[in-house]
Amino acid sequence: FDYFDYFKLFFQYLWQGHVISPYWFIPYIMITFALSPIFLKQLTLKKYTQVAIVIILIIISSIVQRPTSNLGNMQSLIYFTPIFMLGILFSANKDQIIEYIKGKSLVLGLSVISVSLMQILIIGENGPVTKESIFSYNGIDIIIFQKILLCFFLVSVLQKFETKKIPLLKFIAAKSLSIYFLHYWIIYFFYKSEFYQILHFLPGFVLFIITALIALTTSILIALSFTFILGKKSRYLIGS
């Protein structure tokens, strides 16, 4: 094992962001930001052209799928780019889209549940479908469609509170990046704990709610601790 192997491994970890598991997002988003002129060009296209491009890219994403363990920047770029573009499209046409989905929360919610059931009962997966090679075929990942529908469902619900100030939501939003970087480790150690084993008799949905609440609250408490100790420098470690 010579020095070349050490350097190769070092740069490979940096490129893939696999120094710590959630950090795969950093090199991926840096590539996305580098491509920002392309996304700005998107806004100059006709609206229907933008919609058509996003739909085609989402279909491609469902075939390409997420890389296993998120180790593949180019695969992640292909998979998430149409979602990024959909966000741009939504921002540019926010009022029209919100007006269109207003009052459709029930339909969107049932659609989310239906696609989830399809994922579990037909495809046999209860989470994101991933694959190691970008060029291999592993079926269709319909979870991307479920997540898009979930986004629109949440927007249809939360737009009712758009003009209201909710301090708790504002606080969570301010700590969202820290929550993202920390939640993985909270969940990891929670799953390893005896407490989780005791709760394992509970229905999956109930266990999911408990896990989400523990991950959220613990991540926020750790983020506040880092901020208290390091001040503004805490953002270099946990994002906020």
Side-chain angles (χ1 to χ4, degrees), residues 10 62 76 101-102 147 166 171 180 183 201:
F10 173 76
S62 69
S76 293
I101 64 176
K102 189 179 294 183
K147 290 295 182 283
I166 305 176
F171 174 75
Y180 168 73
H183 84 281
F201 71 94

Side-chain angles (χ1 to χ4, degrees), residues 14-236:
L14 284 181
W15 169 246
Q16 294 177 337
H18 202 54
V19 180
I20 303 177
S21 291
Y23 283 27
W24 68 269
F25 178 78
I26 295 176
Y28 151 72
I29 203 64
M30 287 176 69
I31 297 171
T32 300
F33 287 157
L35 296 175
S36 57
I38 297 175
F39 299 124
L40 291 174
K41 182 68 176 177
Q42 171 194 343
L43 295 173
T44 65
L45 300 175
K46 292 182 179 179
K47 191 181 302 181
Y48 294 109
T49 303
Q50 293 185 56
V51 172
I53 291 172
V54 169
I55 290 173
I56 292 170
L57 290 179
I58 289 173
I59 293 171
I60 293 172
S61 292
S62 69
I63 298 171
V64 169
Q65 301 177 3
R66 293 179 65 170
T68 301
S69 301
N70 296 310
L71 296 180
N73 290 330
M74 291 300 106
Q75 195 169 338
S76 293
L77 184 68
I78 294 172
Y79 185 83
F80 288 109
T81 289
I83 309 301
F84 191 74
M85 294 176 69
L86 182 62
I88 295 172
L89 188 61
F90 176 85
S91 297
N93 303 275
K94 179 183 173 183
D95 294 336
Q96 291 173 272
I97 295 173
I98 286 180
E99 186 62 32
Y100 179 76
I101 64 176
K102 189 179 294 183
K104 295 183 173 67
S105 298
L106 180 61
V107 174
L108 289 167
L110 290 174
S111 299
V112 171
I113 295 171
S114 298
V115 177
S116 300
L117 290 174
M118 286 176 59
Q119 179 87 0
I120 296 169
L121 300 176
I122 299 176
I123 299 179
E125 296 282 350
N126 59 355
V129 179
T130 63
K131 63 181 183 181
E132 292 185 6
S133 173
I134 192 174
F135 298 108
S136 62
Y137 180 73
N138 189 35
I140 303 295
D141 174 26
I142 64 171
I143 203 74
I144 190 172
F145 301 105
Q146 186 251 17
K147 290 295 182 283
I148 291 170
L149 287 169
L150 181 60
C151 288
F152 282 111
F153 166 73
L154 291 173
V155 169
S156 71
V157 173
L158 295 176
Q159 57 87 22
K160 300 172 185 176
F161 308 98
E162 187 177 18
T163 58
K164 298 180 180 179
K165 292 184 179 180
I166 305 176
L168 179 61
L169 288 180
K170 187 177 180 180
F171 174 75
I172 292 174
K175 297 295 179 185
S176 60
L177 198 56
S178 296
I179 293 169
Y180 168 73
F181 285 125
L182 292 169
H183 84 281
Y184 172 87
W185 296 106
I186 306 301
I187 294 173
Y188 174 81
F189 287 113
F190 176 59
Y191 283 170
K192 295 288 184 180
S193 69
E194 292 185 12
F195 182 58
Y196 178 76
Q197 302 305 321
I198 294 171
L199 297 176
H200 214 263
F201 71 94
L202 293 171
F205 180 73
V206 176
L207 197 55
F208 169 79
I209 296 296
I210 293 172
T211 303
L213 288 173
I214 289 175
L216 179 64
T217 54
T218 308
S219 296
I220 290 174
L221 289 173
I222 293 174
L224 290 173
S225 300
F226 271 93
T227 304
F228 177 76
I229 296 169
L230 300 174
K232 292 183 178 180
K233 292 181 180 179
S234 65
R235 68 186 63 182
Y236 297 118

